[in-house]
Amino acid sequence: MPFTADSVAVQQVQERLESLYSLIHDIEKKRAQCEQGLNTLQRNSIEDKGPNTQKSRSLIKNVMAQTDAEREVIQKALQKIYEIRNIINERRIQARTSAAKKESIRRGTWMKMLLSSAQTLPLFIGKVGEKAPPLCGAVPAERNYIAKVGDTVVAFAKLVEKENWILAEVVSYNPNTAKYEVDDILREQNQKGRHTLSKSRVIPLPLMRANPEINPEALFPQGKLVLALFPQTTCFYQAIVNKPPATHTDGYEVLFEDPSYPEGYSPPCTVAQRYIVACKHKMKVSASAASTSQAGSSDSES
Amino acid sequence: MSTYKRSSYSSKGGKFNNNVRDILLSPTDKPEAVADIKDFSNVPIIKQVENARSLPKYTSLLCRGDRTIAMDDLDLLQQDLEKLMCINASRTKFFLGEYTRTNQKEPNNAKKGRHKTSLKRKRTDIKGTDRSDGGHVLKKDPSRFYNETVYQEIPKISTPKSYNSDKFWASLEPYCAPINKDDIAFLDTLIQELSKEIDRKIPEIGEHYATSWSEETIIDEQNSGKFPSKKTASIDFKKNDLFSLVESFGKQFCQKLACENPALNVFKKSTENGNRLDKLKELDLSKLKHNNVQKVGACLEKRLLKNLIEHGILREDEISKDSPEDEILTEIQACEKELIAVNEYNTEELNKMKAAVMNDVHCNQLKDDLDKIDKEVLDLYNNIMVTRKKALQEEGKHYDKIFSQSSVNEFERKANALLRQQHVLNREINSSRDMAMLY
C-alpha cells in the first residue's frame, strides 16, 4: 500500500515541520534571554567589580544556565530535522525495493545529492566533555557493527575489470555468511547484479559529522592516510590529509596519491567529512586516482 | 588474512582513539583558548541584531507569519541551527573555563606542556607502527606533511583540571572575601549577646524538682496536642497522695520515719481513730485537693522535726549534718562558673577581632584611595604624554604656548602632590598591616 504509507509519511513530516516552526520561535526567545544575561554580565564586568565577586559568579552561572536552555531547544529543533530526513530516507528505501528498475537518476543529480547529504549529515554536538560516539567523524565503527539496510558504505567491489572502493548502499546483511549485499550508488552500474561482499570489504561511512571546534580528536589528523571520495566520482582512493577541517561546515583538504604528478600527489582537493574513511593498509587497495583508467590488473574477489 | 589485518588495524586505531580521546575529552576538559579573565566582551554569541546576516534562513523563517516550513528550507535551516549550536557549545566551553578560572587561579601551564609532549610521543609511535604494520611506503617524502611545527599545533589539547580542587577553592572563597558592613554588624550582635548578664537561678531542692518539673512536662504535652491526662494525673495523684506526701519530705530520715511509723501506717489504712495524725490527714487531704501537697508536705515535715526536737529524739545539729552534700548542685555551679569564664574570654576575643576588623576596613579604604591615586597618576602621565605629543607635532607654532614652563610646573606640582599622597597612604597601609600582624 504505497499510497497510504506515503500519506502517513507526509503526515508525519508535516507534524514535525509544524513543531519545528514553534521550536524556532522558542529558540529566539531563549537567545534573547541569553543575550540579556550576557549584557548584564558585561555591564557588571565593565563596572570593574572584578570577576571574583559573588555577583559575577552568579551572573556567569545564570548565563550558563540560559546557554544550556538554549542548547536544549536548538537540539530539539535539529532532532526534528533529522527525524524528517529519516522518514524521507525510509520512504526512499521502501520505494526502491518496490520499484528499483524504474528508478533512474542522472549522474549529475546523484553528485548533487551526494554533496547535499554530506552537508546535511547530522552534526555531533555533545555536552561538555562528551566523547564523540563511533561513526562520528574519524571515530571508527565498533568491531561488531553491522551497517543498516539503506546505509551508504564504501565497498571494495569489482567493477568492469578491476576492484575499486566504491560508494554503495547496503541492501541486506546475512549474519550466517557475514556478507553484505550492496548496490552501487550509481544505478547504471548495477546492471550486472548486486555485489555480495564479505564484511571486511565494507566500510560504513560516518553517520555524524564531528565539530572541529568541540571534538577535534574525532578528525583525521594532518598526514593521516585515508580513503577519500574523488570529486565528481563515486570511487574512493587513497589520500593524505593535508588539512583537517577548521569548522563544522568545512571539508578535509586531501592530496590524492597520483603518480601522474611529479610529487606523486594531486593538488589539494576538498572532500566532505562524510566521504573520508580510515585506509586499511593491509587491504589491497585500488590503484591510485590517476591510474583508474589505465590500470589493467584486477583482483578477484574471495 | 584480510580479516586479520583489518582487526589488527582497527584494534590499534581503537587504542589510539581511546587514548587520545580520553586525554582530550575527559570530563575535566578545559578549553585551551579562554579569553582574559575580566574580558567578557568576546563571549561567543550571535547577537539578535546579526540574525539577518549570520542566520539568513532562520531569520526569514522567523519573520514568516504563515507557520509553515517548506522542505527546501530544511538544508539551510539545518546549517543555521548548527551554527547556533556550535556557538552555543563554544559559549558553554568559554564559561566553563571562565567560571573555573575565577575559582581556580593556579595556572596549569606546566601540566599543559607535559600533556602536549606526551601526546606527541604517542602520535609518533602510532605513525611508526602504522608504517611497519602496513608496509605502506609513501611514494614521496611525506615529511612535508609532518612538518614539526605544524604538527605540534594539531592536537588541540585542553588541560585537565580537578573539580575537587575547584570545590575546595570555592569553599574557601567566602572566607577570603574582603570584610564588609554586614560582617561588622554580625560581630556587634555577637558581642552584644555575649555581654548580657546571665541571670539564671538554680531552684532549691524540693518543690521545683518534685512537682513543677512534672507539671511543666504535662503542660508541655497538653500544649503539644496530647491531652493525656489532666484527669488521670489527678486520679493518680489522689491514689498516691499519701505516698507523695511522704516523698515530698526533703529529709530522708523524715521519709523513713513517716513510712515506718506505725501510726502513719494506721493513718494510711484507715481513719478509725481520731489521733493527731489522722486529724492532720483530714486537714491535709482537704488541702490536697487544691494540689498543695508540696506545701503541706513541707509543713508536715517541719512540724514533725519540731516535734522530734521537742521530744529530745533529735538534735538540731544532727539535722544539718544529716542533709547530704548536693553534688549535682556543686557540679552545676562549677559548670556555670566555667561557662562564665569562657563567655568572658569569647567576648574579649570578639572585641579584639572587631578592632582588627575595623583596622582591616580602614586598610581597605586606604587601598581604595591608593588605587584611585594610582589611577590619577596614570591619567596625569597620559595627559603629559598627550600634551607632549601635541607640542611636538605643532613644534614652532604653538610649542611654547602648549609646553610652557608654567604648564610643566603645573604637571610637576600635580605629580608631586600625588606622589606625596601615595607615600602617605602606603605608610598608613603598612602600619595598619603591622598591627594586624601583631594580632
Side-chain angles (χ1 to χ4, degrees):
Chain A
M1 308 286 272
F3 176 74
T4 31
D6 269 346
S7 61
V8 167
V10 167
Q11 179 72 26
Q12 284 174 339
V13 168
Q14 201 54 41
E15 277 168 15
R16 279 162 181 76
L17 284 174
E18 275 166 23
S19 55
L20 185 60
Y21 182 84
S22 57
L23 277 171
I24 288 175
H25 282 266
D26 284 354
I27 292 172
E28 195 61 9
K29 273 181 214 155
K30 299 280 179 204
R31 285 182 61 211
Q33 285 171 3
C34 225
E35 202 178 319
Q36 207 181 349
L38 197 57
N39 283 339
T40 322
L41 180 64
Q42 279 167 351
R43 265 204 307 280
N44 187 59
S45 78
I46 287 166
E47 282 166 17
D48 206 15
K49 286 176 183 165
N52 294 320
T53 58
Q54 200 66 37
K55 194 179 174 190
S56 314
R57 292 205 295 126
S58 70
L59 281 174
I60 293 176
K61 256 188 187 171
N62 187 29
V63 177
M64 280 173 85
Q66 283 164 339
T67 305
D68 210 40
E70 184 192 304
R71 187 185 61 82
E72 267 177 31
V73 192
I74 303 173
Q75 188 108 56
K76 269 187 199 165
L78 281 172
Q79 195 55 43
K80 291 284 169 210
I81 295 180
Y82 301 150
E83 280 170 23
I84 292 170
R85 288 199 202 290
N86 278 343
I87 293 168
I88 293 170
N89 196 37
E90 265 171 37
R91 283 306 308 140
R92 190 183 60 79
I93 293 165
Q94 281 173 22
R96 187 196 57 183
T97 48
S98 60
K101 303 268 172 174
K102 289 174 196 166
E103 193 181 9
S104 85
I105 301 173
R106 284 191 303 140
R107 195 187 174 93
T109 321
W110 260 114
M111 292 305 144
K112 270 188 194 166
M113 280 169 70
L114 290 182
L115 191 68
S116 133
S117 80
Q119 280 168 353
T120 57
L121 189 71
L123 178 70
F124 171 74
I125 299 173
K127 290 180 181 163
V128 175
E130 196 176 339
K131 291 178 185 179
L135 285 176
C136 167
V139 184
E142 281 163 356
R143 283 187 66 181
N144 50 359
Y145 175 81
I146 306 296
K148 288 183 213 64
V149 173
D151 276 0
T152 317
V153 292
V154 188
F156 196 51
K158 192 176 181 184
L159 293 179
V160 187
E161 286 178 325
K162 62 183 189 66
E163 285 185 310
N164 250 342
W165 286 103
I166 58 160
L167 200 59
E169 203 173 273
V170 175
V171 179
S172 67
Y173 175 74
N174 186 344
N176 298 328
T177 55
K179 284 193 175 180
Y180 281 103
E181 260 197 314
V182 298
D183 267 349
D184 193 317
I185 205 91
L186 292 174
R187 304 289 156 196
E188 65 261 26
Q189 303 282 0
N190 288 329
Q191 284 154 358
K192 283 187 179 178
R194 286 188 174 137
H195 305 276
T196 307
L197 302 169
S198 67
K199 202 181 153 191
S200 58
R201 289 172 169 251
V202 171
I203 310 170
L205 285 181
L207 295 177
M208 271 190 275
R209 281 179 291 152
N211 186 352
E213 288 145 9
I214 311 288
N215 300 99
E217 80 292 346
L219 295 172
F220 292 110
Q222 188 180 34
K224 179 85 180 166
L225 191 70
V226 291
L227 275 177
L229 184 76
F230 197 81
Q232 297 304 315
T233 70
T234 57
C235 292
F236 283 74
Y237 301 104
Q238 279 193 37
I240 279 180
V241 175
N242 192 38
K243 210 164 88 183
T247 68
H248 66 278
T249 45
D250 291 350
Y252 283 91
E253 200 179 278
V254 297
L255 310 170
F256 284 99
E257 288 183 0
D258 190 341
S260 63
Y261 287 92
E263 301 90 12
Y265 293 94
S266 73
C269 302
T270 307
V271 180
Q273 269 198 48
R274 179 172 163 83
Y275 300 122
I276 302 254
V277 292
C279 182
K280 304 185 177 320
H281 300 273
K282 290 192 176 183
M283 292 284 292
K284 237 182 182 176
V285 287
S286 67
S288 61
S291 58
T292 44
S293 52
Q294 304 134 18
S297 65
S298 65
D299 303 310
S300 59
E301 200 180 317
S302 59
Chain B
M1 186 68 181
S2 63
T3 323
Y4 162 70
K5 282 169 193 164
R6 182 183 173 134
S7 66
S8 77
Y9 171 79
S10 60
S11 70
K12 280 212 170 66
K15 193 179 168 193
F16 158 68
N17 277 319
N18 283 338
N19 280 340
V20 180
R21 276 188 297 147
D22 280 346
I23 296 162
L24 289 169
L25 273 183
S26 57
T28 54
D29 199 7
K30 190 177 177 237
E32 94 263 31
V34 180
D36 179 46
I37 196 154
K38 275 190 177 182
D39 192 7
F40 290 113
S41 56
N42 49 359
V43 177
I45 188 168
I46 299 178
K47 297 202 168 172
Q48 288 183 310
V49 286
E50 298 164 9
N51 269 4
R53 194 165 50 85
S54 306
L55 312 160
K57 186 50 84 180
Y58 171 83
T59 316
S60 73
L61 287 174
L62 207 61
C63 300
R64 205 186 285 176
D66 53 3
R67 297 191 62 81
T68 53
I69 297 173
M71 287 298 290
D72 300 342
D73 297 333
L74 277 191
D75 289 4
L76 290 173
L77 178 63
Q78 186 187 342
Q79 281 178 18
D80 285 353
L81 289 180
E82 278 171 357
K83 197 188 270 181
L84 272 177
M85 195 73 177
C86 288
I87 293 283
N88 183 291
S90 327
R91 191 158 66 239
T92 310
K93 255 187 148 184
F94 175 91
F95 277 118
L96 208 70
E98 194 72 359
Y99 188 62
T100 46
R101 265 176 78 157
T102 55
N103 287 332
Q104 182 189 9
K105 291 179 187 167
E106 284 175 41
N108 281 338
N109 291 339
K111 253 186 190 173
K112 202 170 186 171
R114 199 172 62 221
H115 245 316
K116 264 197 176 172
T117 48
S118 70
L119 183 82
K120 197 184 141 206
R121 195 174 63 241
K122 266 176 199 155
R123 285 242 166 133
T124 41
D125 282 347
I126 285 152
K127 197 173 77 190
T129 48
D130 275 356
R131 282 226 193 135
S132 58
D133 260 0
H136 174 83
V137 182
L138 297 171
K139 288 165 197 162
K140 275 279 166 183
D141 174 24
S143 59
R144 60 180 170 133
F145 306 114
Y146 295 100
N147 182 321
E148 201 55 28
T149 51
V150 183
Y151 200 63
Q152 276 185 343
E153 285 168 13
I154 303 169
K156 294 189 174 180
I157 308 160
S158 354
T159 318
K161 60 183 174 41
S162 160
Y163 273 107
N164 284 336
S165 73
D166 279 358
K167 274 183 199 158
F168 171 70
W169 288 116
S171 69
L172 273 193
E173 214 227 45
Y175 300 99
C176 302
I179 283 164
N180 55 27
K181 280 180 187 169
D182 291 346
D183 298 328
I184 298 172
F186 175 67
L187 264 183
D188 280 339
T189 50
L190 266 186
I191 291 171
Q192 214 180 341
E193 212 173 292
L194 291 184
S195 319
K196 273 184 202 164
E197 277 291 318
I198 302 169
D199 189 25
R200 179 85 193 151
K201 277 184 183 166
I202 302 166
E204 298 247 333
I205 294 179
E207 185 183 352
H208 176 78
Y209 301 101
T211 55
S212 305
W213 261 13
S214 56
E215 273 168 24
E216 273 169 23
T217 319
I218 289 166
I219 288 164
D220 281 350
E221 276 175 1
Q222 281 170 351
N223 287 345
S224 65
K226 295 175 194 168
F227 295 94
S229 46
K230 206 163 183 182
K231 279 182 184 171
T232 50
S234 59
I235 291 163
D236 286 348
F237 195 62
K238 275 177 193 165
K239 275 182 188 168
N240 298 322
D241 49 2
L242 295 172
F243 292 104
S244 60
L245 193 72
V246 170
E247 273 167 17
S248 74
F249 290 175
K251 310 247 180 272
Q252 275 183 353
F253 75 87
C254 288
Q255 287 182 9
K256 273 186 195 168
L257 193 70
C259 288
E260 284 163 13
N261 194 337
L264 200 62
N265 284 334
V266 174
F267 149 78
K268 274 179 196 167
K269 281 173 187 166
S270 65
T271 51
E272 282 167 20
N273 303 316
N275 68 32
R276 252 173 65 192
L277 280 171
D278 211 20
K279 275 176 197 163
L280 252 179
K281 187 209 150 202
E282 273 172 18
L283 183 134
D284 292 336
L285 276 180
S286 64
K287 286 178 186 170
L288 274 177
K289 280 170 190 168
H290 301 289
N291 282 349
N292 279 336
V293 70
Q294 196 57 49
K295 280 178 190 167
V296 177
C299 274
L300 197 62
E301 187 186 1
K302 272 180 195 164
R303 221 188 284 178
L304 198 68
L305 283 175
K306 203 183 158 195
N307 279 335
L308 287 172
I309 292 166
E310 273 171 12
H311 287 87
I313 301 167
L314 263 173
R315 270 180 296 168
E316 280 189 49
D317 54 336
E318 275 178 349
I319 298 167
S320 56
K321 218 188 245 176
D322 187 70
S323 79
E325 260 184 39
D326 194 341
E327 280 176 20
I328 294 171
L329 185 68
T330 44
E331 185 70 33
I332 289 174
Q333 276 162 350
C335 286
E336 211 173 11
K337 264 182 201 166
E338 246 173 62
L339 279 177
I340 288 168
V342 168
N343 198 31
E344 266 170 21
Y345 177 78
N346 280 348
T347 323
E348 205 177 304
E349 288 296 301
L350 278 173
N351 279 324
K352 267 190 205 170
M353 198 192 238
K354 203 191 163 189
V357 162
M358 297 310 279
N359 186 32
D360 205 53
V361 167
H362 180 61
C363 209
N364 282 346
Q365 184 64 40
L366 289 177
K367 266 184 207 159
D368 286 350
D369 289 347
L370 196 60
D371 280 348
K372 266 185 207 161
I373 286 170
D374 283 349
K375 244 182 200 169
E376 277 175 38
V377 169
L378 272 179
D379 287 347
L380 184 66
Y381 174 76
N382 286 335
N383 219 343
I384 292 171
M385 292 314 281
V386 168
T387 321
R388 220 179 112 185
K389 214 176 178 183
K390 224 173 172 183
L392 283 176
Q393 274 173 355
E394 301 188 12
E395 200 176 357
K397 286 182 201 167
H398 309 289
Y399 185 83
D400 293 339
K401 204 173 159 190
I402 295 168
F403 221 67
S404 64
Q405 189 60 39
S406 63
S407 67
V408 170
N409 284 342
E410 174 71 9
F411 281 139
E412 266 181 12
R413 196 183 55 73
K414 277 186 188 171
N416 282 334
L418 285 173
L419 283 175
R420 251 198 311 277
Q421 277 177 314
Q422 255 185 338
H423 183 67
V424 169
L425 284 172
N426 258 326
R427 215 167 41 199
E428 275 193 57
I429 287 177
N430 285 338
S431 61
S432 47
R433 268 198 191 135
D434 288 345
M435 274 169 69
M437 290 290 191
L438 283 176
Y439 174 70

